[in-house]
Every structure is written in C-alpha cells, then in structure tokens.
Amino acid sequence: MKTLPEYEQLAAAAHGHLCAGQILGLRMALYGMRLLGLEDPEGADRKRLITYVEIDRCATDAIPIVTGCRLGKRALKFRDFGKMAATFCDLQEGRAVRLVALDSARQRARELHPELPSKNLQQMAAYREMPDEELFEAQWVQVAIGPEDLPGYKAPAVACARCGESVNFGREVMVGGAPVCRACAGERYYDPLPR
Ligand SMILES: [Zn+2]
Ligand SMILES: [Zn+2]
C-alpha cells in the first residue's frame, strides 16, 4: 500500500482537485482494505475485490485509487442510494464490509481545526488524522454477487426484440416471452426526438 499523501496526489490528478471528499474516500477505502486484511489490492489481491459505492460524489472518485476497482473492469458497482457509503467485498474469503461515513465526523472536524478558514480545509485536515472509527461506521454484510456481475463473465449478447440493440451480461428482461432491453421494458431515461 502507498502512503496517504501518495494516494492524495493520485486522487487529485484523477479527480481534478484535492478536497475533503477525496480524503474521506481514500480513508474509507484504506479502512475497508484493513478490515478485509488486503495488502495489495492493485496487485496480488486485484482479482479478489469488488466495491459497491452508494453515491456519486467526490469520495467516489477516490475509492478506486486505493482499491483499483474500476467501473470499466466491472469491479466497481454503483447503487444510487445517495449515501456516503461503500461496501468492499473479498471474493476469495467470501466476506464483505460496508462502511458509512459518520455525520458526526463533520462536526468533529470543526472542533479539531477552528483555526482553519474554511470548512473544506477543516475537514481535509481532520479527515487526515481522525481514527477510522470516528470517521466511519463498519458493518459486516453478505453480498450476493451473481456470476453475471463478476469481472470476466462471458455470455453471448442478446438482441432486444423491440429496438434490436444488443444487450450484454444477461441484462435483458423477458416481456411476453421475448427478450427486451431495460430501456424498452420501461426504464428508459431518455426520449428520442422526432427525426
Ligand atoms: Zn472533489
Ligand atoms: Zn430495446
């Protein structure tokens, strides 16, 4: 594992700036690795780990810097729950820990560093030095991860019976006995404009 300042540099480069959220995300991932006992998530342990994130904020960008779990590798899963929380799953040992950032950490940051001029600076300083247990609540959990959700899963794509577009990883749904993509099944987030 690298040091926190080293991770901070990498996170700042990837995210575009260094902020309290980045440091919180790094600390969260480091705590997760510590609780799971993983020492080399980007190397030897690289294939054992899947991370679920529950929010799309600054901290989310920092987590893959430590874990190496990336969306495009299917090792980072986004569940849009709007919570500053993440679950780190060790596939080899079959165990997982969910960490939630404590609201009380923000208050603690103000108390620890009233001399600093902004909330962001107060939190950055505090999140570097506060113990894991004051930053996060940890909960051991079970996560059912299907084979179709694992990196490396291979299956032929299925053509949607309505739009004809290819659907991978078993993400089609059966409607009236025919495979249909989730967009055509009613989950479409866009409306096509008339040509
Ligand atoms: Zn940020
Ligand atoms: Zn379709």
Side-chain angles (χ1 to χ4, degrees):
M1 308 288 293
K2 301 178 179 74
T3 63
L4 185 61
E6 287 170 331
Y7 282 124
E8 284 184 18
Q9 279 202 344
L10 294 170
H15 180 64
H17 63 248
L18 190 63
C19 59
Q22 293 292 293
I23 296 169
L24 195 66
L26 293 172
R27 289 292 308 272
M28 190 184 252
L30 286 165
Y31 188 27
M33 296 308 93
R34 179 161 81 78
L35 290 172
L36 289 174
L38 298 190
E39 280 165 9
D40 193 9
E42 287 190 284
D45 297 331
R46 147 177 68 90
K47 297 205 164 145
R48 323 174 36 167
L49 191 64
I50 288 194
T51 306
Y52 287 77
V53 292
E54 298 184 18
I55 199 164
D56 46 358
R57 284 194 67 189
C58 293
T60 307
D61 275 352
I63 288 173
I65 302 291
V66 173
T67 64
C69 292
R70 295 181 206 289
L71 196 62
K73 290 185 183 164
R74 311 197 72 223
L76 182 70
K77 312 289 188 189
F78 176 45
R79 296 289 182 270
D80 197 357
F81 290 179
K83 294 183 181 180
M84 191 65 88
T87 300
F88 303 93
C89 311
D90 179 355
L91 301 174
Q92 188 174 305
E93 295 295 319
R95 55 187 200 151
V97 65
R98 180 172 179 269
L99 301 180
V100 191
L102 292 168
D103 290 335
S104 55
R106 285 200 300 269
Q107 172 61 29
R108 188 80 187 111
R110 252 198 311 272
E111 292 164 9
L112 282 172
H113 288 288
E115 79 285 2
L116 293 173
S118 78
K119 208 165 66 173
N120 188 50
L121 289 173
Q122 290 172 352
Q123 290 176 354
M124 283 173 70
Y127 295 169
R128 284 187 180 110
E129 64 197 27
M130 283 169 65
D132 291 325
E133 294 75 11
E134 284 184 25
L135 290 172
F136 309 105
E137 164 108 17
Q139 179 184 28
W140 290 95
V141 295
Q142 206 170 25
V143 185
I145 307 177
E148 72 284 1
D149 286 334
L150 293 174
Y153 176 78
K154 286 196 175 59
V158 169
C160 171
R162 295 197 187 154
C163 70
E165 292 179 2
S166 289
V167 182
N168 293 282
F169 304 134
R171 291 331 193 219
E172 69 277 10
V173 291
M174 296 305 280
V175 178
V180 168
C181 76
R182 290 171 63 169
C184 290
E187 290 184 51
R188 200 160 59 192
Y189 62 88
Y190 55 91
D191 284 314
L193 295 174
R195 287 179 191 251

